[in-house]
Amino acid sequence: MTHPPQDDAAIHTQLIQANRQHLAGQIAQAEALYNEILNRAPDHAVALKLAGTAALQLGKLEQAVQLLQRGIAVAPDDPELYANLGLVYDRLGDIDQAMAQQRHALALQGDYPEALSNLGSALLKKGLFHEAEAALQRALQQRADFPEAHLNLGQVLAKLGQFEQAIAHYRQALTSQPQNSALLTHLGLALAAKGDAQEAVNCYQKALSIQPNHLKTWVSLGNLLLEHGVLHQAIHCYEQALGVDNSYPEIHSNLGKSYAKLSRHAEAERCYRHAVELAPQRMDLWSNLLLSLHYNPSNSAAQIQTEFTRWAAGPMAEITPATLLPREDLEQGPLHVGLLSSHFKRHPTLWLSLPAWERLNPQQVRLTIYHNGQQQDPFTERLRAVAAQWREIHALPDAQVIRQIREDKLDLFMDLSGHSQGRLSIAAHRVAPVQVKWVGGLFNTTGLATMDWLLADGLQIRPQDEPWYVERIHRMPHGYVVYEAPTYAPAVNPLPALESGHITFGCFNNPKKLNPTILTVWAQILRSLPHSRLLLKGDAYRSEESRKGILQQLMQAGVNQEQIIFAPRSPHAELLATYQQVDIALDPWPYSGGLTTCEALWMGVPVITLPGPTFAGRHSASHLHHVGLGGWIVESQQAYIAQARHWAQNLAALAQLRQGLRAQVARSPLCDADQFAQDLTHALRHMAMHPK
């Protein structure tokens, strides 16, 4: 459509006025003028481009798409239209279209650093880090003083673990944009990853002084404080973030983690529930909630089971599992078993299973490992040495992993992560004729109808407990795990109380397992033995807030401050050596020790345990029974107190027990890896031949 010259002149004047307002930040006013122009000249390419840009800036994304597509129809050779349309698709979450539009722009104009930077940003979101790096390097070759490209490249390099280079690009961008709070936040993230925590905090605080409501900065600062145990300040940061926008489930979840580290379990549960309500399909959020329930002494087994049922009826109910039949010649040849975990490293998962995997006869059991973690260590290599196949899956989507496992034609699939950084959705789709849950995030039923079996023993799951499980229970005859002590474990020393003149109790369990109920029991023990000590060791005790919270509860219950000793986390050999200061270990409740109990026993320290209502609370009972210390398993809080007092007043007997305990443990089923491997082989064959 053509217009009289006077109309063209008027449109030109109006376009200049609109553009001035646009550049001045008066975007809504500019948009109104662009629309007036388009009412008179619907095919005006410049007005369409600028109106589309204004709509993008105002968040009117669908309108922006329509305007820019109209502009492309009129001016198909204008690269800026494609670049701007790519930005809109990026905001809409259609990253493939975003990349396609930026590439179209670059096909029209190769020397276009803005399009290269936009393309790099989109490639970053797709996880194509090396391609993103190449695009952004090209952008900076064309325009070295381009802060957005420096920001994007910094993010890519951070993803690649190249934090020094990322920091350099962030600092370069800040020379031209020193008040850019997003840049300061990303710089803080890179500094934190590099280990410069205080510099990271300084960056976050500067960003917040510029933009007090910057959501990502509050969250990033909260995450750093949570990592370093500055828990009350972390809680403050997450609450500030939720005041800006309470729609992000991750913020609620991290707030829950902060409360959990302070043993404020009811508040932690409330936060995890908020997260699940916001994103009911997120497996990781459900897993956080389900795990947290086991730390709270107020929750019964029935209440916890109700939440597993809710989870199964929610995201899991939408999955239609495959029907996979066992092979007809199952009794012939080796059984093909697949193991999946995020914890194939120095972790309780392998501490309590690796000796068995290493002793399996490969002519009877053939292992394929699906490694969902990123860290590797000597434990990883030991497992790799006995695997027939090893597959790295942590970067692969569920659909690809499911397809691969099915193609591997397993006889039995075993999950060794559960609700602890696991991928239970894979088992929910069914990838083998028989699926089994064993160690690794094993604290209760999985709740999955497609999990056919759960490997346990008679102490972990009694007959009366079975109604709480969706799985069939296979009870191992000599305990449900096997323990191999490290070669660097120090020798067992004489009973410390004989030299110190007082009994020292200890608990080296995760401090999250402590709560007012068990602390009250411990306080009664300490009050009745006023010269006794309680040594608490764990990562959280580097935080003054954590120490203060525990100490306050114990002192309110009548314990003297000098009776409590805190020790932070230390290297494993040093942790084991610390048991040389402990006479008796006190097990938490309702979530008991597992590997921690095994280590205490190996170091000659017996453990008093009161079994809890779920699998999570019965680990210590199983270990004590199988090393011949069933008498240290009590049935009530009063019996717990009486047991502690009895042994504290019988030091000669306690010293004798300590002297022979390591040899007793070494001879026990807990450390008999050959017997356990035989039991496991039988169990695997039995479960494979008996689908649910």
Side-chain angles (χ1 to χ4, degrees):
M1 180 184 296
T2 58
H3 306 280
Q6 60 270 29
D7 282 357
D8 287 341
I11 289 170
H12 182 71
T13 300
Q14 197 171 21
L15 191 62
I16 292 173
Q17 180 185 356
N19 196 35
R20 283 175 180 163
Q21 290 181 322
H22 200 158
L23 293 173
Q26 300 171 3
I27 301 172
Q29 295 91 324
E31 181 192 37
L33 288 176
Y34 295 142
N35 288 335
E36 286 184 22
I37 294 169
L38 291 171
N39 286 335
R40 296 166 61 185
D43 296 334
H44 197 290
V46 176
L48 286 166
K49 178 166 60 179
L50 294 174
T53 304
L56 166 62
Q57 292 171 315
L58 293 169
K60 301 176 181 180
L61 303 180
E62 297 296 342
Q63 182 178 325
V65 169
Q66 294 173 8
L67 289 163
L68 293 167
Q69 286 178 338
R70 284 169 56 192
I72 288 170
V74 175
D77 294 331
D78 184 344
E80 194 174 353
L81 282 162
Y82 296 97
N84 289 353
L85 182 57
L87 288 174
V88 180
Y89 280 124
D90 191 293
R91 287 276 299 277
L92 286 167
D94 190 343
I95 306 302
D96 289 330
Q97 269 292 346
M99 292 190 297
Q101 298 302 325
Q102 300 301 344
R103 287 188 169 117
H104 202 140
L106 288 164
L108 292 169
Q109 181 180 324
D111 184 10
Y112 194 171
E114 290 79 7
L116 283 165
S117 180
N118 296 340
L119 177 60
S121 176
L123 288 164
L124 167 63
K125 292 174 183 176
K126 288 289 286 187
L128 302 171
F129 303 133
H130 292 291
E131 291 181 46
E133 181 182 10
L136 291 161
Q137 293 285 12
R138 280 181 59 200
L140 289 169
Q141 287 170 4
Q142 294 176 9
R143 181 180 159 194
D145 60 341
F146 189 1
E148 286 78 10
H150 282 292
L151 170 59
N152 290 335
L153 183 54
Q155 292 180 74
V156 170
L157 293 168
K159 287 288 186 182
L160 292 171
Q162 300 173 26
F163 298 112
E164 289 283 7
Q165 297 93 317
I167 289 167
H169 281 283
Y170 293 141
R171 293 197 190 283
Q172 179 63 36
L174 282 166
T175 60
S176 56
Q177 294 186 356
Q179 299 298 302
N180 187 321
S181 56
L183 264 172
L184 286 163
T185 300
H186 282 290
L187 175 57
L189 287 166
L191 289 164
K194 184 172 165 286
D196 294 334
Q198 188 54 57
E199 273 200 74
V201 169
N202 294 341
C203 285
Y204 296 144
Q205 290 176 338
K206 184 176 179 181
L208 290 169
S209 70
I210 297 165
Q211 192 173 347
N213 290 329
H214 196 277
L215 181 72
K216 186 168 185 175
T217 311
W218 280 116
V219 173
S220 301
L221 180 55
N223 292 346
L224 181 59
L225 294 169
L226 171 60
E227 179 186 347
H228 286 268
V230 190
L231 300 174
H232 289 291
Q233 289 186 40
I235 289 170
H236 170 74
C237 290
Y238 293 133
E239 288 175 341
Q240 291 293 121
L242 291 171
V244 177
D245 188 342
N246 66 0
S247 67
Y248 285 88
E250 294 82 2
I251 305 174
H252 291 278
S253 186
N254 285 352
L255 180 58
K257 291 176 185 177
S258 303
Y259 282 125
K261 283 182 175 288
L262 289 168
S263 297
R264 292 163 61 174
H265 298 301
E267 290 159 292
E269 284 178 31
R270 172 177 53 80
C271 295
Y272 292 139
R273 289 184 194 281
H274 278 298
V276 165
E277 288 167 5
L278 288 168
Q281 304 307 311
R282 286 270 301 274
M283 281 278 300
D284 58 325
L285 301 177
W286 271 104
S287 291
N288 289 341
L289 172 61
L290 294 172
L291 176 58
S292 75
L293 298 171
H294 296 75
Y295 293 106
N296 189 340
S298 300
N299 293 325
S300 68
Q303 289 171 316
I304 293 172
Q305 201 269 345
T306 298
E307 295 300 328
F308 277 97
T309 302
R310 274 208 319 134
W311 169 68
M316 293 300 96
E318 298 182 7
I319 296 173
T320 302
T323 300
L324 301 176
L325 299 176
R327 57 186 170 93
E328 294 181 0
D329 60 343
L330 194 58
E331 294 186 8
Q332 300 185 14
L335 198 67
H336 190 185
V337 176
L339 312 179
L340 185 151
S341 183
S342 304
H343 307 307
F344 290 141
K345 57 182 179 179
R346 193 180 295 269
H347 180 275
T349 299
L350 285 188
W351 272 115
L352 299 174
S353 68
L354 183 57
W357 300 128
E358 290 179 322
R359 287 164 176 80
L360 293 182
N361 184 340
Q363 294 181 345
Q364 294 183 312
V365 180
R366 175 172 173 263
L367 294 178
T368 293
I369 307 300
Y370 303 96
H371 183 218
N372 193 46
Q374 298 185 55
Q375 297 179 1
Q376 301 193 22
D377 60 24
F379 275 45
T380 317
E381 295 311 309
R382 285 173 60 184
L383 183 62
R384 191 192 302 272
V386 298
Q389 293 183 99
W390 184 281
R391 303 197 187 283
E392 296 288 344
I393 65 167
H394 69 270
L396 303 180
D398 278 4
Q400 187 173 343
V401 176
I402 291 165
R403 183 169 60 252
Q404 178 64 69
I405 298 177
R406 287 176 181 165
E407 289 174 357
D408 288 338
K409 301 293 184 182
L410 301 177
D411 296 316
L412 184 147
F413 170 79
M414 186 172 278
D415 179 279
L416 303 183
S417 275
H419 288 281
S420 175
Q421 301 173 34
R423 295 178 73 170
L424 282 172
S425 56
I426 289 171
H429 284 84
R430 187 169 290 283
V431 291
V434 174
Q435 302 189 141
V436 180
K437 181 72 195 89
W438 191 32
V439 291
L442 177 52
F443 49 83
N444 204 328
T445 178
T446 61
L448 274 184
T450 54
M451 196 65 74
D452 305 298
W453 289 91
L454 190 149
L455 208 58
D457 62 35
L459 273 293
Q460 283 283 178
I461 302 177
R462 303 161 299 175
Q464 63 265 38
D465 299 325
E466 289 195 28
W468 308 126
Y469 292 81
V470 300
E471 305 88 351
R472 294 172 70 184
I473 309 303
H474 184 93
R475 293 179 175 87
M476 300 285 279
H478 301 102
Y480 87 108
V481 293
V482 60
Y483 173 64
E484 179 184 84
T487 56
Y488 51 77
V492 176
N493 65 322
L495 189 73
L498 297 177
E499 182 177 345
S500 67
H502 61 258
I503 200 82
T504 299
F505 300 101
C507 180
F508 294 5
N509 282 273
N510 186 335
K512 286 197 300 185
K513 295 182 180 181
L514 308 191
N515 56 70
T517 300
I518 195 62
L519 288 175
T520 298
V521 172
W522 292 354
Q524 291 182 60
I525 295 169
L526 295 170
R527 283 205 317 271
S528 70
L529 300 165
H531 298 293
S532 64
R533 300 290 186 269
L534 173 60
L535 172 55
L536 298 172
K537 184 171 177 61
D539 186 50
Y541 301 132
R542 61 184 168 154
S543 162
E544 182 180 355
E545 297 168 357
S546 294
R547 298 193 302 270
K548 184 177 179 181
I550 298 294
L551 186 60
Q552 187 175 26
Q553 291 183 69
L554 289 169
M555 290 178 66
Q556 287 174 348
V559 175
N560 294 322
Q561 182 172 348
E562 60 269 20
Q563 289 183 272
I564 309 303
I565 305 165
F566 291 104
R569 184 178 182 178
S570 61
H572 195 221
E574 183 180 328
L575 178 146
L576 295 174
T578 308
Y579 277 111
Q580 295 179 333
Q581 304 173 40
V582 178
D583 300 293
I584 298 172
L586 301 179
D587 203 31
W589 184 92
Y591 203 130
S592 77
L595 177 61
T596 306
T597 297
C598 297
E599 292 175 345
L601 295 172
W602 188 255
M603 291 306 301
V605 181
V607 182
I608 304 173
T609 188
L610 171 61
T614 68
F615 196 103
R618 306 187 66 83
H619 303 319
S620 291
S622 173
H623 303 331
L624 288 167
H625 171 80
H626 287 103
V627 302
L629 292 184
W632 289 75
I633 307 169
V634 300
E635 296 300 324
S636 69
Q637 293 179 8
Q638 288 308 310
Y640 192 118
I641 296 166
Q643 180 81 348
R645 286 174 51 81
H646 167 76
W647 284 97
Q649 294 166 352
N650 288 273
L651 296 186
L654 185 60
Q656 185 177 7
L657 174 62
R658 185 186 187 95
Q659 184 179 7
L661 188 53
R662 176 172 289 187
Q664 180 177 334
V665 172
R667 292 192 304 268
S668 75
L670 180 64
C671 294
D672 190 343
D674 291 330
Q675 180 63 59
F676 192 91
Q678 292 180 34
D679 294 342
L680 182 59
T681 300
H682 170 77
L684 294 171
R685 181 72 63 178
H686 174 80
M687 292 184 293
M689 296 182 68
H690 296 86
K692 188 191 291 186

